[in-house]
Amino acid sequence: MIINNKRALIAWNGLQIILGAFIYAVAITDFLIPHQIGEGGVTGLTTIGYYALNIPPALTNIVANGILILIGFRFLDRQTVGYSLWAVIWISIFLKLPRLLNYHTTQTIIPAIAGGVLMGIAIGVIFRGGGTIAGSTILAKIMNRYFGMMTGSAMLFFDLIVAIPSGFIIGFQNMLLTIVELYVGAAVLNRFLSKFGARKAVTIITNQTEEITYELSQRLKQGITIINAKGYYHQEKQPMIYVICTNKQAAQLVPLISEIDPTAVVVVDDVHSVKGESIGKIL
C-alpha cells in the first residue's frame, strides 16, 4: 500500500504496530507462558521473571525495553525509536489483558511451533509499520544496518543468548522447545520480510522489440525500460526489454510475448524492492 499523506502514513503505521503488538501478546500469554516455553531477548527475561519470581510480564517488558530504547537513540533514527516505543506500550497493554484462547495441550511442540509462527508474523507486521519490539530487535536492527546480517537471523543469535541459560529455570526439555520456537519465529520473520515489496523482473530478448514493447505498455500502463545490449558472439546490437511487474501480471505477459514472438528469450526473476526507501524493511 502506497500512502502519500504524511499523517495518514503515520496513522497507518501506528495501526499496523498495534495489530502486531496484539498478535505478539497472544503468542506469549496463550502459547508460551501456559506451557512454560521461554523466549529470547527481553521477552525471555519476562517469562523467566514470571516463572522464577512471579513478576508481571508487562512490568518487565516496559522497564527492560525502555533501557534498550535509550540505546536505540544512539544507533537508530528517531522515527524507528518512536514507533518502537509505541509498540512496547501496546505490547505491555495487551500483556495485561486476560488470555484470549485459554489453549492448553500436553503436546508442547504444538504451542512452540504456533508461538514461533505468531511471533514471526507479529514482528514482521511491526517492522512493516516502521517499528521494532525493542529488546533483541533493536540489537538486530543495529546488526542489520552496520553489518548486513538478516534481521531474523540476528534476532535468533541474540535470543539464544537468553534462551539457553533459561534451561536452569524452565528445564532442559522446555529450553529445547524454546530454541524450536525461536528458530521458527526467525524463519517466518525472514520469509515475511522477503515478501514485502516482492515483484517479478522480466527481461525479454526478441527481434520484435517495438511490437512487444507496445503491447506490454498497453497491458501494464506503466514505464518499460529498453536496454541497449550487444551480443558478444555475433557482435550484433540487440535491445532488451526490462519490466518490473506483479506475479499476476508476469503470468499474463509471458503467454502474450510467446504469441508475438515464439522465439523470444524471456527471463523472469524475483525482486524484493522497487523503491529505495523500502530496502530497510525487507532485510
Side-chain angles (χ1 to χ4, degrees):
M1 178 182 293
I2 299 175
I3 302 177
N4 295 321
N5 183 278
K6 186 175 181 180
R7 289 185 178 179
L9 178 61
I10 292 174
W12 171 244
N13 286 341
L15 289 174
Q16 288 188 89
I17 289 172
I18 292 174
L19 174 62
F22 175 74
I23 298 172
Y24 189 86
V26 169
I28 295 174
T29 58
D30 284 276
F31 290 95
L32 302 188
I33 287 180
H35 301 91
Q36 285 206 320
I37 299 172
E39 242 291 324
V42 169
T43 307
L45 295 177
T46 66
T47 55
I48 291 173
Y50 179 79
Y51 297 144
L53 303 173
N54 204 30
I55 299 174
L59 178 61
T60 309
N61 179 70
I62 196 73
V63 172
N65 279 324
I67 296 172
L68 286 168
I69 285 176
L70 292 177
I71 296 175
F73 269 108
R74 173 66 178 81
F75 296 99
L76 301 175
D77 60 89
R78 297 294 183 266
Q79 178 174 280
T80 299
V81 173
Y83 282 138
S84 299
L85 181 59
W86 179 249
V88 169
I89 290 172
W90 278 101
I91 289 173
S92 297
I93 291 173
F94 288 133
L95 284 174
K96 296 188 71 173
L97 297 179
R99 291 172 58 187
L100 180 67
L101 302 178
N102 289 313
Y103 172 75
H104 189 79
T105 178
T106 57
Q107 303 294 324
T108 47
I109 190 65
I110 297 176
I113 293 175
V117 170
L118 289 177
M119 284 286 191
I121 293 173
I123 297 171
V125 172
I126 291 172
F127 278 4
R128 285 196 62 173
T132 71
I133 59 168
S136 60
T137 60
I138 281 188
L139 301 177
K141 278 285 188 181
I142 293 171
M143 292 292 289
N144 173 258
R145 173 168 295 186
Y146 293 99
F147 299 99
M149 183 180 290
M150 290 188 70
T151 304
S153 303
M155 281 184 57
L156 179 61
F157 170 75
F158 288 114
D159 286 343
L160 288 175
I161 294 176
V162 173
I164 292 176
S166 71
F168 291 105
I169 296 175
I170 63 177
F172 182 73
Q173 176 177 295
N174 284 356
M175 182 200 72
L176 293 179
L177 290 170
T178 299
I179 293 175
V180 170
E181 181 268 323
L182 290 174
Y183 177 80
V184 171
V188 170
L189 176 60
N190 282 336
R191 185 70 174 172
F192 186 96
L193 295 179
S194 70
K195 288 297 181 182
F196 179 76
R199 295 291 188 272
K200 294 291 187 183
V202 182
T203 304
I204 308 153
I205 303 174
T206 174
N207 293 322
Q208 307 291 330
T209 303
E210 290 298 328
E211 186 177 353
I212 290 179
T213 303
Y214 175 78
E215 292 296 332
L216 294 183
S217 179
Q218 293 297 308
R219 181 69 62 90
L220 297 177
K221 305 296 183 183
Q222 69 177 48
I224 297 173
T225 301
I226 301 296
I227 302 173
N228 293 320
K230 182 179 179 181
Y232 178 78
Y233 186 78
H234 293 290
Q235 294 294 304
E236 294 179 353
K237 292 184 178 180
Q238 177 65 59
M240 296 192 306
I241 304 170
Y242 183 80
V243 59
I244 293 177
C245 59
T246 64
N247 291 348
K248 181 179 179 180
Q249 289 172 328
Q252 296 171 345
L253 296 184
V254 173
L256 175 64
I257 297 166
S258 298
E259 182 180 331
I260 298 173
D261 181 5
T263 65
V265 176
V266 181
V267 180
V268 181
D269 294 310
D270 291 321
V271 294
H272 297 303
S273 179
V274 292
K275 295 181 70 176
E277 64 191 38
S278 300
I279 291 176
K281 295 183 179 181
I282 66 173
L283 296 176

